[in-house]
Amino acid sequence: MSTEADSHSSAFNLDPPVPLNVSKAYSIEDLRRAAQRRLPKAIFDFFDGGAEDEITLRDNRAAYQRVRLMPKVLTDVSTIDTSTDILGQRAQLPMAIAPTGAVGFGWRGGDIAIARAAAAAGIPYTLSSTATASIEQIANAAPGRLWFQAYILRNKPFLQTLIDRAQAADYEALVITVDLPVGGKRERDFRNDFSVPFRFTPKNLLDFARHPGWLSDIVRFGMPVMENLIGLESKATNATAIASSVGRNYDPSFNWEGLQKIRDGWPRKLIVKGILSPDDALRVAAMGCDAVVVSNHGGRQLDGAVATFDALPGVVKAIDGRIPVLLDGGVRRGSDIFKALAMGAQGVMLGRATLYGASAAGEPGASRALAILKDELVRTMQLCGVRSTGDANASFMF
Ligand SMILES: Cc1cc2nc3c(=O)[nH]c(=O)nc-3n(C[C@H](O)[C@H](O)[C@H](O)COP(=O)(O)O)c2cc1C
């Protein structure tokens, strides 16, 4: 996609018009605050928080902030090409949407909102297995490239049904998340009484009552449901009940042989998400997977795990061009994306950035997040003297 250099405000002219609460959002942090205002604390913290002391959550951001760029001048940057190959197909931006579960708690229909925003922006969208929209609902509602993310459940026939459904619904890729043999210890959830099984307590009822806009939707339409997990446990159908049952249903014995079986049984692109170690990355490439995502689950799993931007060079070196490397965690600025590309990533995945946008204002909010990141990426490329994403390299890092 070519973008005119002098169109400072073009990224902010959105159709449909931007709702008031995000029309003044000029950064992902602005969208984060808009989401924070709209949501009960328990819901916002579930989205925003990380594990234990949140060291890794913070370090994912800090890793980008620790490094500096070395711009080069006097390049004609009147036209910028932000498109890039992601898994063998052109994407309009070097970005894809990371899977996030329970989005419907933030905005009813939020999964579809983000998927539609991704399609409009020309980038792939990943549906979580713990999403509040089904595999088929997304396929029907969003016209773009779709990937399906699977957690490894103990119930293998159920897991296989999900994978078969994704294939039947024409999902292009399967994303296997490997950094969640057990759930991370997310203390904000405990403190907010967002623990599972979900309990209505005076504290969280007060929290909900302070957010009447959010609450009236829940009262009218009920709690969102984790659509893809209906039937996993017959007694548990609402989102929070299922969240607890999913915890019990993760398979901590899943190993390399299990991954190989999934590779052998899935005929399309297979992406392994949650890799930090160069050795693991090499093994993933050697067994015939199509891409790795350098990820620590947005700091929600192992606290103290290395920041993804810091882990990226080791993985890129080990993979040595065999398969594409994507990265997620802490991407909040276009310059973060540029830095990731310069250090060898093919693209980044966005978790909270679009989740904040959708939680603030549905599809226009998710589109706003993508527009902000695109505008910042284009500007960074222009200011660094880089005309196309393929030209970003380590010589632009200081
Ligand atoms: C609320 C929330 C739910 C998530 N759910 C999933 C999920 O269902 N599957 C998964 O593989 N990763 C999940 N993740 C992790 C994201 O895919 C991604 O790795 C992470 O959000 C990237 O960090 P960022 O949010 O700082 O961009 C979730 C993250 C958040 C914030």
Side-chain angles (χ1 to χ4, degrees), residues 99-101 128 130 149 151 177 273 295 297-298 328-330 332 351-352:
T100 50
S128 160
T130 56
Q149 176 266 329
Y151 282 129
T177 299
K273 172 175 179 282
S295 174
H297 218 99
D328 74 16
R332 305 287 184 272
R352 294 182 185 84

Side-chain angles (χ1 to χ4, degrees), residues 9 23 27 44 76-77 131 139 159 173-174 204 215 218 244 251 263-264 269 271 322 351 374 377 390 392 397:
S9 59
S23 65
S27 66
F44 177 77
D76 173 357
V77 289
L159 174 62
L174 180 62
N204 64 31
L215 184 61
I218 296 292
S244 65
D251 181 1
R263 168 64 295 185
D264 295 343
K269 302 277 187 195
I271 304 168
R322 289 177 183 86
K374 176 184 169 185
L377 174 63
M397 305 294 293

